[in-house]
Amino acid sequence: AKDYELRQYETAKWVSTVIRGETQKEAMRQGFWKLFHYIQGKNEKEMKIDMTVPVTCLVKSGCTDFKISFFVPFEHQDCPPQPTDSDVFIEERKAAALFVRSFGGFASPEKYAEEADTLARTLRNRGQPFHEDFFYTAGYDSPFKLFNRHNEVWYFKK
């Protein structure tokens, strides 16, 4: 469709942390740094790992817990180094079909919510079944990139 895509993602490992009781913006900041320390060597192998994209944030309606995640690079998918920070963990996300809406600019939590609402409305209007109680935000750019930024919101297909 012109205003969203349906993508199939394979099973993959992500390094994640859950930040509780903060605003989404603050949770993203805290979560990003915890995960950044992991890829900078705060892991059992003291290994530096390349930064990957996207950085995702799980947003559940009515919940102030946010799960922030980095994709584990392909070369470490089979055996990612274990985190040494007890708040950071490796998770395996199962293969899934996702409805994706892309947009540009600097994405705030409000902008992500607005884009998620637009995508949800579109999917409902088209009779597409999806899990409505949560969505993921996905950011692809460094905060220093000023132009041609790429952001997404994801809903899981039922």
Side-chain angles (χ1 to χ4, degrees):
K2 72 177 186 342
D3 42 5
Y4 70 89
E5 297 173 62
L6 177 58
R7 290 188 198 149
Q8 180 66 40
Y9 280 94
E10 298 307 313
T11 298
K13 292 188 177 83
W14 295 70
V15 59
S16 301
T17 188
V18 175
I19 306 295
R20 293 180 169 82
E22 297 288 351
T23 63
Q24 185 179 345
K25 186 173 185 173
E26 180 58 19
M28 282 294 294
R29 191 189 68 74
Q30 287 183 25
F32 178 90
W33 286 110
K34 280 185 176 290
L35 299 174
F36 188 76
H37 292 307
Y38 166 80
I39 66 171
Q40 287 297 300
K42 196 170 181 186
N43 57 63
E44 283 181 348
K45 296 180 182 169
E46 296 183 357
M47 177 188 291
K48 282 195 182 231
I49 300 168
D50 289 339
M51 177 80 202
T52 60
V53 291
V55 175
T56 65
C57 178
L58 172 61
V59 180
K60 297 180 195 171
S61 45
C63 184
T64 58
D65 293 358
F66 298 97
K67 182 171 66 177
I68 294 80
S69 307
F70 287 3
F71 179 78
V72 172
F74 291 109
E75 63 267 24
H76 299 292
Q77 279 287 316
D78 289 339
C79 193
Q82 288 304 305
T84 52
D85 179 339
S86 61
D87 292 339
V88 176
F89 56 95
I90 303 293
E91 67 169 325
E92 184 172 89
R93 293 189 194 166
K94 299 294 178 210
L98 303 179
F99 292 109
V100 178
R101 179 174 171 84
S102 300
F103 60 99
F106 279 90
S108 63
E110 296 76 22
K111 180 67 173 163
Y112 277 124
E114 182 185 307
E115 295 291 339
D117 286 345
T118 300
L119 176 56
R121 230 181 1 262
T122 301
L123 295 172
R124 280 188 216 104
N125 290 343
R126 299 214 175 126
Q128 292 283 6
F130 66 101
H131 293 277
E132 298 191 39
D133 51 335
F134 69 93
F135 65 91
Y136 278 91
T137 68
Y140 287 82
D141 300 302
S142 147
F144 306 109
K145 182 174 181 182
L146 300 180
F147 302 104
N148 300 314
R149 296 179 61 79
H150 184 81
N151 313 288
E152 297 174 347
V153 289
W154 300 347
Y155 276 111
F156 281 62
K157 183 177 181 176
K158 276 191 177 171

